[in-house]
Amino acid sequence: MTNTTQHNSALQAGRDYAVANLAPNLEELLAERYDDLVPGMAESLIEWGYGRHYCREGVDAKTRQLCTVAALTVLGGHTAPQLKINIEHTLKAGASKHEIAEVIWQMAVYGGLPAAINGLNVAKEVFSEQNE
């Protein structure tokens, strides 16, 4: 398989994943927001992040999303916008609010209490918005 074929295959897989699991217009939203600064950023993220990572075999989408929530929690409060979006995606992937809260709380051991508290605050915000 050539690099171009691999790229096209991963790009299509990423697009399919984004439409099915994230937002049907995610690539367009990313392009509108970032492609003027970094041309091709949206396509790169869809192809590399989703097509080559989230679509890999071996771990289901729910587990990948829970791992993403854990990583963003440990990185700290400055990741709150990405954490919010990924908590929404994790719910869509089938995780319960309780599972998400437990994963965030577990990160207190690795990222510290402030990181876990910030993560729980983001989760509460997302959960509250979903109940409206």
Side-chain angles (χ1 to χ4, degrees), residues 66 69-70 73 79-88 90-91 96-105 115-131:
L66 286 167
V69 167
T73 298
T79 66
Q82 292 80 21
L83 181 57
K84 181 179 180 183
I85 290 167
N86 277 281
I87 289 173
E88 292 167 358
T90 304
L91 288 165
S96 69
K97 293 175 182 179
H98 180 74
E99 288 173 311
I100 292 168
E102 285 295 327
V103 163
I104 291 170
W105 181 241
I117 290 168
N118 288 340
L120 289 171
N121 285 332
V122 173
K124 286 180 67 74
E125 179 183 335
V126 172
F127 300 160
S128 175
E129 289 172 1
Q130 295 219 337
N131 288 334

Side-chain angles (χ1 to χ4, degrees), residues 32-90:
E32 287 173 10
R33 184 163 181 114
Y34 300 110
D35 278 8
D36 64 323
L37 295 172
V38 183
M41 182 274 199
E43 183 176 289
S44 294
L45 175 61
I46 296 294
E47 184 265 334
W48 186 77
Y50 297 111
R52 294 189 186 267
H53 289 273
Y54 277 78
C55 289
R56 290 176 58 88
E57 293 182 14
V59 180
D60 62 26
K62 175 182 161 182
T63 302
R64 286 192 195 284
Q65 283 299 149
L66 286 167
C67 291
T68 301
V69 167
L72 290 169
T73 298
V74 169
L75 287 170
H78 64 283
T79 66
Q82 292 80 21
L83 181 57
K84 181 179 180 183
I85 290 167
N86 277 281
I87 289 173
E88 292 167 358
H89 294 168
T90 304

